[in-house]
Amino acid sequence: MKLKIVQQASDKHTDLATSVGWTSNTELFSIGDDRKIYRWSGDGDFLGDVPTPLFDAPPKPGATSPDATEMHWVPVAPGKGGQAGAEVFAMGGTDGKFYLIAKNGRVEKEVDAHKGAVLCLRWNTEASALVTAGEDGHVKIWSRSGMLRSVLIQTGYPVYSIAWAPDNDQLLLTNGRNLMIKSLQPGSKPQQWKGHDSVILKVDWNLVNGLILSAGEDRKYKVWDSFGRQMYSSAPHDHPITSIAWNPSGDMFAVGSFDMLRVCDKLGWSYAMEKPSSGSIFNIAWTPDGTQLACAGGSGAVVFAHIVNRRYEWKNYEVTVLDDHRIHVHDVVHGATENLDFRDRVVKAALGHSHLVVATSTQCHVYNERNWNTPAIIDLVNNGRVTCIQQCPECFVLVDTVTGIQVFSYEGRSISQPKFPGLRAECVTPQTLAVSADVLAVKDRADEKEVFFFDTNSGRALVPASSKHHAEIAEIALSQTPASAASGGRQLVLVDRNRDMYITPVGAKTDLKKLGTMVETFAWNADADLLVAMMDGKFVVWYYPNVVFVDEDVAPLTRFEKDGSMFGKDAQVVNFQGTQCTVRRADGALVTVSKITSLPALLQEHSRKKQWEEAIRLCRYVNQKELWACLAAMAVHGQDLNTAEVAYAAIDEVAKVRYIVHIRSLQSAPARTAELALLRRRPAEAENILVDAGLHYRAIRMWVGLFNWERALELAVKHKTHVDTVLHFREKHLKAVGRRETNRKFIQYAQNVQVDYEKIKAKIQMEEERERSPGTTSATTAQ
Amino acid sequence: MTTNVPPQPLVTFDEFSKLRILDPAQFEASEQLKEECQEFTTRTGTFNDIIQMFMNLMDEKASQIEREKLQAIGLRNRAEREVDGRKRKHAQMQALIKERQAELDRLVLQADSLQKVQQEQASLIDSMSSK
């Protein structure tokens, strides 16, 4: 990735430029201390100045004429898309007032705000409130029309920079060397911590990833999470860092200093650096699509920088976005190259599953790897801004700010448009949206603990429509293989704010099972149900994640662990395909791990096709405990007792082998299924199976065996059989442990029901007899 | 004058029989004077021209010298600044080098890991084909 700098040969502003801001139709306004407002095109061409009575009118006698400190356009409210353009910007003045100025330069409002200069001001993302802060250390909140709502806080230092929290209910401000987070709720105590060794000059808080940036006179910039934990601190530079700004999608940020502009990954490592001759860069503004940025330089220069040479890799293809309108495709194996030209600006691209999807500002082009000449073209309506492209083998999802979530086939046909209330399209990232052939999962922004599920083909909500977790969810991902009963259906893996990883089936009752803690990153394999994660400094591969729903005892055995020190902290899985996994280290280096065995994938394939003989042969050949454990779980899941017995024997699970032998000895098929459900620790499921098959006695005996007396009694009473049996066993049990009956229900029934051991014995005998007789027929069919 | 000089005929004839008011000797002298004067004026004229030329030349030289002088001052300043400038440029280059080095390190790491992958794959192919 590189930066392409566009800068006029001579500086337009004759004094230092203080602030820049993009309008919604990608025009740039710049304000300088020469008391001029200039207009620029998105390509960096000078368009002319905007006359404003504020600067141009002859100064009133006795009144000092103000200089501008910072400007901020009213943002487009979420959900309105790109249509409703920003027409007004707020500008802070050195005279302590802030001004609302229209696009044509007319001053719509001027408001006395602070003593001393207004140093910074920010609209919140909903454009419903403006916060200003000044040299007097006050932070004030104003309504959209400029009415004072509240004085939030008074600090002892001038507030140099301020930023809204993603949910607009907190503010981040500088307080000398400290960073301060203050909730909007009156009376709440601000959270404060030391950020830098010297005065902090600039802060920013990203809407999407919730991370905080700070830059200071100690010549460093730092990345913090929203709790104030430091995630990155740069080495000291030559000059103070005077500006810092997140890209709207939160995957990178720009850093400005004297004659220096840098673009960094959200983890802090630097993508590219340029040295424009601009003086100190006082302000940086990204375009909403995040493809370019503009800087206001201390020399009066206005510097435009485009992000170019973004690269994507998939299998044997390398795709490079050369500039706004050109993409270069290189096939490494065949040496073929292609140049793709676009009429409009390339905003987002995604490469994977044999297809390249390129979103420009008006269209979406879909290329097949076999044909780079004729893409399928989808017109994007309503000027929406594409925020996220997510692919799966059968289709891809495009999220834009106007239409929301759209699912398209690779032929360019619209498949569906899942909708749910409260979708914030600008906040959707590949981490919060997952798609597979049949399910689309989206994390809700309004309630961070919830994930919504949709049918990819119809766009309708699945049943159940969502799944709820007890903590805020950070990342989600869906398994990618064709869903089948053998693999446990479609599964969702999520990582929450505490970095705990859970797995749950989709489309059935939410059943969150914990897979691991301290998970830094994870990914599903693109071709098989393998899961990889960086967990507590280890590189872990789950060969059969479904095992947690089958047999948690063998779950640790089905994992492959490897020392992850070569990846360092905070590594991110970039992709996991076949036997290779590519991981991006915190310093930005890509490290590939190969030799992730493909055998589990093969085994999964066998179990999917119910080729148990082949599966056993494979395991015998390889003879690894991991594979045997996987096979055991698969066999239990696939209800193949022979295979399960062999596999459990191979991993020395004697108890399990004995139990399976016992299951095999059972005559009736439902009883066997129920016992298998018990093996999977699902007594409720087992009970259902037994009751459905009419095996009430067995169900009651099961609960008795599990010491769940109440349920056993309940069942017996409900089906009006064996109440005495339950009472008899209860009594026996109590006698054995030497305690007295205290349960009121049992006392009540004990008074009403006669317990006669001989009768019970006869009844049991009869039940067993009965079970055996119809069981012979079902047992033969099951063979 | 007429009183001192003995009266002479007011009008005389010279040898070419032309009517003369002045006497021939005086006429001769005045004629000569006239010629001499003419010669003198032309000579002063040329002298003037030469001086003018000289002056122009001098002016030109002066401005040239002035220019050169300024240039020299400028150059001297630049030379003086060069030390500083070089330091700055050096720092800038260092920063760039650091940046590139970091990028190189990343790429080397990537190349290493990919080479390892290649080796592993080659050995896998070997072991497969030898069986």
Coordinates of all heavy atoms in Angstrom, one line a residue, chain A residues 133-203:
Chain A
A133 N -15.1 22.9 22.6 CA -14.2 23.0 23.7 C -13.2 24.1 23.4 O -12.9 24.3 22.3 CB -13.5 21.7 24.0
G134 N -12.8 24.8 24.5 CA -12.0 25.9 24.2 C -10.8 26.1 25.1 O -10.5 25.2 26.0
E135 N -10.2 27.2 25.0 CA -9.0 27.5 25.8 C -9.3 27.6 27.3 O -8.5 27.5 28.1 CB -8.4 28.8 25.3 CG -7.5 28.7 24.1 CD -7.0 30.0 23.6 OE1 -7.6 31.0 23.8 OE2 -5.9 30.0 23.0
D136 N -10.6 27.9 27.6 CA -11.0 28.1 29.0 C -11.2 26.7 29.6 O -11.5 26.7 30.8 CB -12.3 28.9 29.0 CG -13.4 28.3 28.2 OD1 -13.2 27.3 27.5 OD2 -14.5 28.9 28.2
G137 N -11.0 25.6 28.9 CA -11.1 24.3 29.5 C -12.5 23.8 29.6 O -12.8 22.7 30.2
H138 N -13.5 24.5 29.2 CA -14.9 24.1 29.3 C -15.3 23.2 28.1 O -14.7 23.4 27.0 CB -15.8 25.3 29.3 CG -15.8 26.1 30.5 ND1 -16.8 26.9 31.0 CD2 -14.8 26.2 31.4 CE1 -16.4 27.4 32.1 NE2 -15.2 27.1 32.4
V139 N -16.2 22.3 28.3 CA -16.7 21.5 27.2 C -18.2 21.7 27.2 O -18.9 21.5 28.2 CB -16.4 20.0 27.4 CG1 -17.1 19.2 26.3 CG2 -14.9 19.8 27.4
K140 N -18.7 22.2 26.1 CA -20.1 22.5 26.0 C -20.8 21.8 24.9 O -20.2 21.5 23.8 CB -20.3 24.0 25.8 CG -19.8 24.8 27.0 CD -20.0 26.3 26.8 CE -19.5 27.1 28.0 NZ -19.7 28.5 27.8
I141 N -22.1 21.4 25.2 CA -22.8 20.7 24.2 C -24.0 21.5 23.7 O -24.7 22.2 24.5 CB -23.3 19.3 24.7 CG1 -22.1 18.5 25.0 CG2 -24.3 18.6 23.8 CD1 -22.4 17.2 25.7
W142 N -24.2 21.6 22.4 CA -25.1 22.4 21.8 C -26.1 21.6 20.9 O -25.7 20.6 20.4 CB -24.4 23.5 20.9 CG -23.3 24.2 21.5 CD1 -22.1 23.7 21.7 CD2 -23.3 25.5 22.2 NE1 -21.3 24.6 22.4 CE2 -22.1 25.7 22.7 CE3 -24.4 26.4 22.3 CZ2 -21.8 26.9 23.4 CZ3 -24.0 27.6 23.0 CH2 -22.7 27.8 23.5
S143 N -27.3 22.1 20.7 CA -28.2 21.5 19.8 C -27.8 21.7 18.4 O -26.9 22.5 18.1 CB -29.6 21.9 20.1 OG -29.8 23.2 19.5
R144 N -28.5 21.1 17.5 CA -28.3 21.2 16.1 C -28.4 22.7 15.6 O -27.7 23.1 14.8 CB -29.3 20.3 15.3 CG -29.4 20.6 13.8 CD -28.2 20.0 13.1 NE -28.3 20.2 11.7 CZ -28.1 21.3 11.0 NH1 -27.8 22.4 11.7 NH2 -28.2 21.4 9.7
S145 N -29.3 23.4 16.3 CA -29.5 24.8 15.9 C -28.6 25.8 16.6 O -28.7 27.0 16.4 CB -31.0 25.2 16.0 OG -31.4 24.9 17.4
G146 N -27.8 25.3 17.5 CA -26.9 26.1 18.2 C -27.4 26.6 19.6 O -26.9 27.6 20.1
M147 N -28.3 25.9 20.2 CA -28.8 26.3 21.5 C -27.9 25.5 22.5 O -27.7 24.3 22.4 CB -30.3 25.9 21.7 CG -31.2 26.5 20.7 SD -31.1 28.3 20.7 CE -32.0 28.6 22.2
L148 N -27.6 26.1 23.6 CA -26.7 25.5 24.6 C -27.5 24.4 25.4 O -28.6 24.7 25.9 CB -26.2 26.5 25.7 CG -25.3 25.9 26.8 CD1 -24.0 25.3 26.2 CD2 -25.0 26.9 27.8
R149 N -27.0 23.2 25.4 CA -27.7 22.1 26.1 C -27.1 21.9 27.5 O -27.8 21.9 28.5 CB -27.6 20.8 25.3 CG -28.5 20.7 24.1 CD -29.1 19.3 24.1 NE -29.8 19.2 22.8 CZ -29.5 18.3 21.9 NH1 -28.4 17.6 22.0 NH2 -30.2 18.2 20.8
S150 N -25.8 21.8 27.5 CA -25.2 21.7 28.8 C -23.7 22.0 28.8 O -23.1 22.0 27.7 CB -25.3 20.2 29.3 OG -24.7 19.4 28.4
V151 N -23.2 22.4 30.0 CA -21.8 22.5 30.1 C -21.3 21.2 30.7 O -21.6 20.9 31.9 CB -21.4 23.7 31.0 CG1 -19.9 23.8 31.2 CG2 -22.0 24.9 30.4
L152 N -20.6 20.4 30.0 CA -20.4 19.0 30.4 C -19.3 18.9 31.5 O -19.5 18.2 32.5 CB -19.9 18.2 29.2 CG -19.8 16.7 29.4 CD1 -21.2 16.1 29.6 CD2 -19.1 16.0 28.3
I153 N -18.2 19.7 31.3 CA -17.1 19.6 32.3 C -16.3 20.8 32.2 O -16.3 21.5 31.1 CB -16.3 18.3 32.0 CG1 -15.4 17.9 33.2 CG2 -15.5 18.4 30.7 CD1 -14.9 16.5 33.1
Q154 N -15.6 21.1 33.2 CA -14.6 22.2 33.2 C -13.3 21.6 33.6 O -13.2 21.1 34.7 CB -15.1 23.3 34.2 CG -16.4 23.9 33.8 CD -17.0 24.8 34.8 OE1 -16.3 25.2 35.7 NE2 -18.3 25.1 34.7
T155 N -12.3 21.8 32.8 CA -11.0 21.2 33.1 C -10.0 22.4 33.3 O -10.3 23.5 33.0 CB -10.5 20.3 32.0 OG1 -10.3 21.1 30.9 CG2 -11.4 19.2 31.7
G156 N -8.9 22.0 33.9 CA -7.9 23.0 34.2 C -7.0 23.4 33.0 O -6.1 24.2 33.1
Y157 N -7.1 22.6 31.9 CA -6.2 22.8 30.8 C -7.1 23.2 29.6 O -8.3 22.8 29.5 CB -5.5 21.6 30.4 CG -4.4 21.2 31.3 CD1 -4.6 20.3 32.4 CD2 -3.1 21.7 31.2 CE1 -3.6 19.9 33.3 CE2 -2.1 21.3 32.0 CZ -2.4 20.4 33.1 OH -1.4 20.1 33.9
P158 N -6.5 23.9 28.6 CA -7.2 24.1 27.4 C -7.5 22.7 26.8 O -6.6 21.8 26.8 CB -6.3 24.9 26.5 CG -5.3 25.5 27.4 CD -5.2 24.6 28.6
V159 N -8.7 22.5 26.2 CA -9.0 21.2 25.6 C -8.6 21.4 24.1 O -9.3 22.1 23.3 CB -10.5 20.9 25.8 CG1 -10.8 19.6 25.1 CG2 -10.8 20.8 27.2
Y160 N -7.6 20.6 23.7 CA -7.1 20.8 22.3 C -7.9 19.9 21.3 O -7.9 20.2 20.1 CB -5.6 20.4 22.2 CG -4.8 21.4 22.9 CD1 -4.1 21.1 24.1 CD2 -4.6 22.7 22.3 CE1 -3.3 22.0 24.7 CE2 -3.8 23.6 23.0 CZ -3.2 23.3 24.1 OH -2.4 24.2 24.7
S161 N -8.5 18.9 21.8 CA -9.2 18.0 20.8 C -10.2 17.2 21.6 O -10.1 16.9 22.8 CB -8.2 17.0 20.2 OG -8.8 16.3 19.2
I162 N -11.3 16.8 20.8 CA -12.4 16.1 21.5 C -13.0 15.2 20.5 O -12.9 15.4 19.3 CB -13.4 17.2 22.0 CG1 -14.4 16.6 23.0 CG2 -14.2 17.8 20.8 CD1 -15.0 17.7 23.8
A163 N -13.6 14.1 21.0 CA -14.2 13.1 20.0 C -15.3 12.4 20.7 O -15.4 12.2 21.9 CB -13.1 12.0 19.6
W164 N -16.4 12.1 19.9 CA -17.6 11.4 20.4 C -17.3 9.9 20.4 O -16.6 9.4 19.6 CB -18.7 11.7 19.5 CG -19.3 13.0 19.5 CD1 -18.9 14.1 18.7 CD2 -20.3 13.5 20.4 NE1 -19.7 15.2 19.1 CE2 -20.5 14.9 20.1 CE3 -21.1 12.9 21.4 CZ2 -21.5 15.6 20.8 CZ3 -22.0 13.7 22.1 CH2 -22.2 15.0 21.8
A165 N -17.9 9.3 21.4 CA -17.9 7.8 21.5 C -18.7 7.3 20.3 O -19.6 7.9 19.8 CB -18.4 7.3 22.8
P166 N -18.5 6.0 20.0 CA -19.3 5.4 18.9 C -20.8 5.5 19.1 O -21.6 5.7 18.2 CB -18.8 3.9 18.8 CG -17.5 4.0 19.4 CD -17.4 5.1 20.4
D167 N -21.2 5.3 20.4 CA -22.7 5.4 20.6 C -23.1 6.8 21.1 O -24.3 6.9 21.5 CB -23.0 4.3 21.7 CG -22.1 4.3 22.8 OD1 -21.2 5.2 22.9 OD2 -22.1 3.3 23.6
N168 N -22.3 7.7 20.9 CA -22.7 9.1 21.1 C -23.1 9.5 22.6 O -23.7 10.5 22.8 CB -23.8 9.6 20.2 CG -23.4 9.7 18.8 OD1 -22.2 10.0 18.5 ND2 -24.3 9.4 17.8
D169 N -22.7 8.6 23.5 CA -23.1 8.9 24.9 C -21.9 9.2 25.8 O -22.0 9.4 27.0 CB -24.0 7.9 25.5 CG -23.3 6.5 25.6 OD1 -22.2 6.5 25.1 OD2 -23.9 5.6 26.1
Q170 N -20.7 9.3 25.1 CA -19.5 9.6 25.9 C -18.7 10.5 25.0 O -18.8 10.6 23.8 CB -18.7 8.4 26.2 CG -19.3 7.5 27.3 CD -18.5 6.3 27.5 OE1 -18.0 5.6 26.6 NE2 -18.3 5.9 28.8
L171 N -17.8 11.3 25.7 CA -16.9 12.1 25.0 C -15.5 11.8 25.4 O -15.2 11.6 26.6 CB -17.2 13.6 25.2 CG -18.3 14.2 24.4 CD1 -18.8 15.5 25.0 CD2 -17.9 14.4 23.0
L172 N -14.6 11.9 24.5 CA -13.1 11.7 24.8 C -12.5 13.1 24.6 O -12.7 13.7 23.6 CB -12.5 10.7 23.8 CG -11.0 10.6 23.8 CD1 -10.5 10.0 25.1 CD2 -10.5 9.9 22.6
L173 N -11.8 13.6 25.6 CA -11.1 14.9 25.5 C -9.7 14.9 26.0 O -9.4 14.0 26.8 CB -12.0 16.0 26.2 CG -12.4 15.7 27.6 CD1 -12.0 16.9 28.4 CD2 -13.9 15.6 27.6
T174 N -8.9 15.8 25.6 CA -7.6 15.9 26.1 C -7.6 16.8 27.3 O -8.4 17.7 27.4 CB -6.7 16.6 25.1 OG1 -7.1 18.0 24.9 CG2 -6.7 15.9 23.7
N175 N -6.8 16.4 28.3 CA -6.7 17.2 29.5 C -5.2 17.3 29.8 O -4.7 16.5 30.7 CB -7.5 16.6 30.6 CG -7.6 17.4 31.8 OD1 -7.3 18.6 31.8 ND2 -7.9 16.8 33.0
G176 N -4.5 18.2 29.2 CA -3.1 18.2 29.4 C -2.4 17.0 28.9 O -2.6 16.6 27.7
R177 N -1.8 16.2 29.8 CA -1.2 15.0 29.4 C -2.1 13.8 29.5 O -1.8 12.6 29.2 CB 0.1 14.7 30.2 CG 1.1 15.7 30.0 CD 2.2 15.5 31.0 NE 3.1 16.6 30.9 CZ 4.3 16.7 31.6 NH1 4.6 15.7 32.4 NH2 5.0 17.7 31.5
N178 N -3.3 14.1 30.0 CA -4.2 13.0 30.3 C -5.3 12.9 29.2 O -5.6 13.9 28.6 CB -4.9 13.2 31.6 CG -3.9 13.2 32.8 OD1 -2.9 12.5 32.7 ND2 -4.2 13.9 33.8
L179 N -5.8 11.7 29.1 CA -7.0 11.5 28.2 C -8.2 11.3 29.2 O -8.0 10.7 30.3 CB -6.8 10.3 27.4 CG -5.9 10.4 26.2 CD1 -5.5 9.0 25.7 CD2 -6.5 11.2 25.1
M180 N -9.3 11.9 28.8 CA -10.4 11.8 29.7 C -11.7 11.3 28.9 O -11.9 11.8 27.8 CB -10.7 13.2 30.3 CG -11.7 13.2 31.4 SD -12.0 14.9 31.8 CE -10.9 15.2 33.1
I181 N -12.4 10.4 29.5 CA -13.6 10.0 28.9 C -14.7 10.4 29.9 O -14.7 10.1 31.1 CB -13.7 8.4 28.7 CG1 -12.7 8.0 27.6 CG2 -15.1 8.0 28.3 CD1 -12.7 6.6 27.4
K182 N -15.7 11.2 29.4 CA -16.8 11.7 30.2 C -18.1 11.3 29.6 O -18.3 11.5 28.4 CB -16.6 13.2 30.3 CG -17.8 13.9 31.0 CD -17.6 13.9 32.5 CE -18.7 14.7 33.2 NZ -19.9 13.9 33.5
S183 N -18.9 10.6 30.4 CA -20.2 10.3 30.0 C -21.1 11.5 29.9 O -20.9 12.5 30.7 CB -20.8 9.2 30.9 OG -22.2 9.1 30.6
L184 N -22.1 11.5 29.0 CA -23.0 12.7 28.9 C -24.0 12.7 30.1 O -24.6 13.8 30.3 CB -23.8 12.6 27.6 CG -23.1 12.7 26.3 CD1 -24.1 13.1 25.2 CD2 -22.1 13.8 26.4
Q185 N -24.1 11.6 30.9 CA -25.0 11.7 32.0 C -24.5 12.6 33.0 O -23.3 12.6 33.4 CB -25.1 10.3 32.6 CG -26.2 9.5 32.0 CD -26.0 8.0 32.1 OE1 -25.1 7.6 32.8 NE2 -26.8 7.2 31.4
P186 N -25.3 13.5 33.5 CA -24.8 14.5 34.4 C -24.5 13.8 35.7 O -25.1 12.8 36.2 CB -26.1 15.4 34.6 CG -27.2 14.7 34.1 CD -26.7 13.7 33.1
G187 N -23.4 14.3 36.3 CA -23.0 13.8 37.6 C -22.1 12.5 37.6 O -21.7 12.1 38.6
S188 N -21.9 12.0 36.4 CA -21.1 10.8 36.3 C -19.6 11.2 36.4 O -19.2 12.3 36.0 CB -21.3 10.1 34.9 OG -21.0 11.0 33.9
K189 N -18.8 10.3 37.0 CA -17.4 10.6 37.2 C -16.6 10.4 35.9 O -16.8 9.3 35.3 CB -16.9 9.7 38.3 CG -15.8 10.3 39.1 CD -15.5 9.5 40.3 CE -14.1 9.6 40.9 NZ -13.1 10.3 40.3
P190 N -15.8 11.3 35.5 CA -15.0 11.1 34.3 C -13.9 10.1 34.6 O -13.4 10.0 35.7 CB -14.5 12.4 34.0 CG -14.5 13.2 35.2 CD -15.6 12.7 36.1
Q191 N -13.6 9.3 33.6 CA -12.5 8.3 33.6 C -11.3 9.0 33.0 O -11.4 9.5 31.9 CB -13.0 7.1 32.8 CG -12.1 6.0 32.8 CD -12.5 4.9 31.8 OE1 -13.6 5.0 31.3 NE2 -11.6 4.1 31.4
Q192 N -10.2 9.0 33.7 CA -9.0 9.7 33.2 C -7.8 8.9 33.4 O -7.6 8.2 34.4 CB -8.9 11.0 34.0 CG -7.8 11.9 33.5 CD -8.0 13.3 34.1 OE1 -8.3 14.3 33.5 NE2 -7.7 13.4 35.4
W193 N -6.9 9.0 32.4 CA -5.6 8.3 32.5 C -4.5 9.1 31.8 O -4.8 9.8 30.9 CB -5.7 6.9 32.1 CG -5.8 6.7 30.6 CD1 -4.8 6.5 29.7 CD2 -7.0 6.7 29.8 NE1 -5.3 6.3 28.4 CE2 -6.7 6.5 28.4 CE3 -8.4 7.0 30.1 CZ2 -7.6 6.5 27.4 CZ3 -9.3 6.9 29.0 CH2 -8.9 6.7 27.7
K194 N -3.3 8.8 32.2 CA -2.2 9.5 31.6 C -1.9 8.9 30.2 O -1.7 7.7 30.1 CB -1.0 9.4 32.4 CG 0.1 10.3 31.9 CD 1.4 10.3 32.7 CE 2.5 11.0 32.0 NZ 3.8 10.5 32.2
G195 N -2.0 9.7 29.2 CA -1.8 9.2 27.9 C -0.4 9.4 27.3 O 0.2 8.5 26.7
H196 N 0.1 10.6 27.5 CA 1.4 10.9 26.9 C 2.3 11.6 27.9 O 1.9 12.0 28.9 CB 1.2 11.8 25.7 CG 0.6 11.1 24.5 ND1 1.4 10.7 23.4 CD2 -0.6 10.7 24.3 CE1 0.6 10.1 22.5 NE2 -0.6 10.1 23.0
D197 N 3.6 11.7 27.6 CA 4.6 12.3 28.4 C 4.5 13.8 28.3 O 5.2 14.6 28.9 CB 6.0 11.9 28.1 CG 6.1 10.4 28.4 OD1 5.4 9.9 29.3 OD2 6.9 9.7 27.7
S198 N 3.8 14.3 27.3 CA 3.7 15.7 27.0 C 2.3 16.0 26.6 O 1.4 15.1 26.5 CB 4.7 16.1 25.9 OG 4.7 17.4 25.8
V199 N 2.0 17.3 26.3 CA 0.6 17.7 26.0 C 0.1 16.9 24.9 O 0.7 16.7 23.9 CB 0.6 19.2 25.7 CG1 -0.8 19.6 25.2 CG2 1.0 20.0 26.9
I200 N -1.2 16.5 25.0 CA -1.8 15.7 23.9 C -2.5 16.7 23.0 O -3.2 17.6 23.4 CB -2.9 14.7 24.5 CG1 -2.2 13.7 25.4 CG2 -3.6 14.0 23.4 CD1 -3.1 12.9 26.2
L201 N -2.3 16.6 21.7 CA -2.7 17.5 20.8 C -4.0 17.1 20.0 O -4.8 17.9 19.6 CB -1.6 17.8 19.7 CG -0.4 18.5 20.3 CD1 0.6 18.7 19.2 CD2 -0.7 19.8 20.9
K202 N -4.1 15.8 19.8 CA -5.2 15.3 19.0 C -5.7 14.0 19.4 O -4.9 13.1 19.8 CB -4.7 15.2 17.5 CG -5.7 15.5 16.4 CD -6.1 17.0 16.4 CE -6.8 17.3 15.1 NZ -7.0 18.7 15.0
V203 N -7.0 13.8 19.4 CA -7.6 12.5 19.7 C -8.6 12.1 18.6 O -9.2 13.0 18.0 CB -8.3 12.4 21.1 CG1 -7.3 12.5 22.2 CG2 -9.3 13.5 21.2

